[in-house]
């Protein structure tokens, strides 16, 4: 039986990556050994995120490269406010802030480890997507 699941990001600079998630997205540091940090979102359901030093002996050598093909999605209450904070801090904006027909207002940024981060606030989907969602729920 699975009791928990959370991503762990390999980072060259654990402290900078920790500070990005804690300082810009509100995560709380619940454990920090220097080479490994465990973060917890301040929401009621307590999602967690880990950060490990990329070159640490606990990471197999062939998996120590920069991330590619990985996208971490984080849902927030006010994506516009987070976008303003991230932009003002000078972090890369990989995808501009936009509202999508499928029911999200979001933007993508890159954390200090090179991981692509999709920051999302749900919004009402277009009528076409709402109908597709309703059909899927009925099936």
């Amino acid at each position: 039986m699975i009791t928990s699941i959370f991503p762990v990001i390999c980072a060259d600079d654990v402290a900078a990556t920790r500070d990005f998630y804690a300082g810009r997205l509100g995560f709380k540091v619940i454990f920090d050994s220097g080479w490994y940090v465990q973060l917890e979102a301040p929401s009621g359901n307590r999602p967690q995120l880990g950060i490990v030093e990329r070159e640490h002996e606990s990471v197999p050598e062939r998996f120590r490269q920069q991330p590619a093909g990985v996208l971490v999605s984080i849902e927030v209450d006010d994506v516009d406010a987070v976008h303003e904070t991230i932009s003002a801090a000078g972090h890369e904006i990989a995808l501009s802030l936009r509202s999508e027909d499928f029911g999200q207002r979001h933007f993508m940024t890159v954390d200090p480890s090179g991981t692509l981060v999709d920051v999302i606030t749900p919004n009402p989907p277009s009528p076409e997507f709402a109908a597709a969602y309703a059909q899927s729920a009925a099936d």
Side-chain angles (χ1 to χ4, degrees):
M1 171 182 275
I2 296 172
T3 60
S4 176
I5 185 170
F6 57 90
V8 176
I9 296 169
C10 293
D12 294 319
D13 188 337
V14 173
T17 305
R18 175 202 62 214
D19 293 348
F20 172 83
Y21 288 95
R24 309 286 181 243
L25 294 166
F27 279 78
K28 296 184 296 186
V29 176
I30 58 173
F31 177 80
D32 188 340
S33 69
W35 64 269
Y36 181 82
V37 173
Q38 188 74 22
L39 302 167
E40 185 174 83
S43 64
N45 58 1
R46 303 288 186 222
Q48 294 188 355
L49 177 68
I51 304 164
V52 67
E53 185 177 282
R54 187 182 318 282
E55 298 296 324
H56 192 268
E57 64 188 30
S58 65
V59 178
E61 250 183 79
R62 71 182 188 110
F63 294 97
R64 294 179 182 175
Q65 63 272 17
Q66 286 273 330
V70 174
L71 171 66
V72 174
S73 295
I74 299 176
E75 190 173 309
V76 298
D77 291 331
D78 185 351
V79 71
D80 292 86
V82 174
H83 180 267
E84 187 175 317
T85 298
I86 297 283
S87 296
H91 294 285
E92 177 184 348
I93 302 298
L95 182 74
S96 62
L97 181 63
R98 61 184 72 194
S99 293
E100 305 282 9
D101 287 344
F102 52 81
Q104 287 182 354
R105 181 155 175 81
H106 71 129
F107 72 97
M108 292 184 192
T109 187
V110 181
D111 78 10
S113 76
T115 301
L116 187 60
V117 180
D118 191 8
V119 183
I120 301 163
T121 296
N123 66 359
S126 69
E128 176 187 32
F129 276 95
Y133 294 143
Q135 180 59 43
S136 292
D139 290 342

